[in-house]
Amino acid sequence: MQDYERKAVPEVVEEINRKYFLPDIQRNFVWKPEQVYTLFDSIMRDYPISTFLFWKQNGAYLRKEKIKKLEFVKTSKEQNKENAEISAAKEYFLVLDGQQRLTTFYLVLKGNYIVRNNAYDLYFNILSGEEEQEDGILYEFKFFNKNKGVSFTEDNGDKKLWYKVKDIYDLNIAQIFSELTGISKSIKDSYALELSDTQKNNIARLCQYLKTEKIIYYYPEVEQDYDKVLDIFVRTNSGG
C-alpha cells in the first residue's frame, strides 16, 4: 500500500489543467460561498482540511484505455469540459476525492467566483480573528466584486478591512517582513489605520499557508483496473 504524500497549494494549483485534471466521473463545482469561507477559516485556524485522493497514471495508459480527463473550471458557473491533449510520456493526476476543495483554491487564486453574472474575488478581513461569530467563523472571508481593488474598508457598526486573497497569495514569502511594511504603510495612508502585530501576522500566516505549508495531504492511487478505480471513487464519495 502506498504512503500518503504532502504538497503545498502552489505545487498543485500552478499545475492544474496541465498535470492535475478531473476524471469524467466527477460532477461539476457545486460549493456555495459559505463553504469557501469555512475552508479558509479552517486553514487560518490550522485545522486539517481532510485528505485528497489522486489517481496517478501516465499518459500512455490513459490513451490506451481511452480514459477521458476534464479541466478544472476557471469560473464557478462553468461546466467541466474535456481536455483531449494527452502526452504519452507525461504523468497525470486525476482527482478522485477533493475536487470541490481544489477547485476552490483554483478559483480563489487563479479564477473568479461568479455572482449575479459578475466576477467576484475572495477578500480577507484582516481585522478579524479575535472573536468568533455566531456562525462559528473566526477569520472572516467574503466574496466581493473584483472592481473593489486590492483593499477597502467597511463599517456597519463593526470596522472591517478587506484585503484581496489573490494579492496575499502573490506576496513574496521570502521577503514577507518588507512586504508587510509596505502593506501597513499603504493601509495607514489610505485608511488612517495602524495595523497591530497580530493583524500583520494574520496576513503573513495566510500567505504562508497558501504558499509554503504542505496542507494538501493526498493518497496517490496507482491502480490500473478502471472498474476498481470506479469502486474506490464511489466508496470514497459516499463516505465508505
Side-chain angles (χ1 to χ4, degrees):
M1 197 172 187
Q2 300 250 129
D3 289 329
Y4 276 84
E5 299 178 17
R6 304 186 79 154
K7 287 186 183 291
V9 170
E11 293 180 272
V12 178
V13 166
E14 301 297 337
E15 293 293 333
I16 279 179
N17 294 340
R18 292 200 289 264
K19 180 188 289 186
Y20 292 86
F21 292 90
L22 301 168
D24 65 352
I25 49 180
Q26 282 284 19
R27 60 179 175 167
N28 291 304
F29 181 69
V30 297
W31 266 23
K32 303 299 182 187
E34 290 72 24
Q35 291 169 288
V36 177
Y37 306 156
T38 301
L39 174 64
F40 276 81
D41 179 56
S42 294
I43 291 170
M44 284 295 291
R45 291 183 185 224
D46 198 23
Y47 287 179
I49 59 170
S50 195
T51 57
F52 297 75
L53 177 61
F54 300 156
W55 187 23
K56 179 181 176 182
Q57 290 298 337
N58 59 56
Y61 171 81
L62 298 182
R63 277 187 181 180
K64 176 175 174 288
E65 299 298 323
K66 297 181 172 58
I67 305 295
K68 293 181 180 179
K69 57 185 176 66
L70 307 179
E71 290 188 350
F72 281 79
V73 295
K74 297 178 180 65
T75 69
S76 60
K77 293 298 184 183
E78 290 179 28
Q79 304 291 305
N80 295 334
K81 62 181 180 180
E82 182 181 355
N83 181 300
E85 295 180 12
I86 297 178
S87 170
K90 192 173 178 179
E91 188 174 72
Y92 294 94
F93 292 81
L94 303 187
V95 180
L96 297 176
D97 186 47
Q99 175 204 1
Q100 303 297 320
R101 284 165 287 158
L102 279 188
T103 302
T104 292
F105 285 133
Y106 190 54
L107 292 178
V108 167
L109 303 175
K110 295 294 181 179
N112 293 113
Y113 203 93
I114 303 300
V115 180
R116 295 185 293 276
N117 297 320
N118 292 313
Y120 276 47
D121 279 327
L122 188 67
Y123 286 76
F124 172 41
N125 175 18
I126 59 180
L127 305 184
S128 64
E130 296 183 0
E131 186 175 341
E132 191 173 277
Q133 301 174 41
E134 290 183 3
D135 58 5
I137 295 294
L138 179 61
Y139 294 94
E140 193 175 7
F141 292 84
K142 194 172 181 180
F143 283 110
F144 290 99
N145 193 301
K146 61 188 305 180
N147 294 333
K148 289 282 191 181
V150 175
S151 65
F152 66 96
T153 56
E154 188 180 45
D155 194 345
N156 296 316
D158 181 18
K159 188 79 170 181
K160 298 182 181 183
L161 174 57
W162 297 102
Y163 206 94
K164 190 182 292 187
V165 173
K166 274 190 177 84
D167 286 85
I168 294 176
Y169 178 70
D170 287 338
L171 294 176
N172 186 338
I173 190 68
Q175 299 178 14
I176 191 63
F177 292 110
S178 61
E179 293 273 32
L180 289 174
T181 298
I183 290 173
S184 298
K185 183 179 184 306
S186 174
I187 287 172
K188 185 175 182 179
D189 292 344
S190 299
Y191 313 114
L193 279 173
E194 189 82 51
L195 293 183
S196 68
D197 289 341
T198 298
Q199 290 157 357
K200 293 176 188 175
N201 188 51
N202 283 346
I203 301 171
R205 284 176 58 223
L206 180 57
C207 184
Q208 182 178 357
Y209 283 129
L210 294 179
K211 295 292 280 286
T212 61
E213 292 292 318
K214 295 183 181 294
I215 63 174
I216 295 179
Y217 190 51
Y218 71 96
Y219 183 82
E221 177 58 63
V222 296
E223 175 62 52
Q224 290 197 337
D225 183 335
Y226 189 56
D227 288 336
K228 186 174 180 180
V229 171
L230 285 176
D231 189 40
I232 292 170
F233 172 80
V234 170
R235 289 189 180 209
T236 300
N237 286 274
S238 62

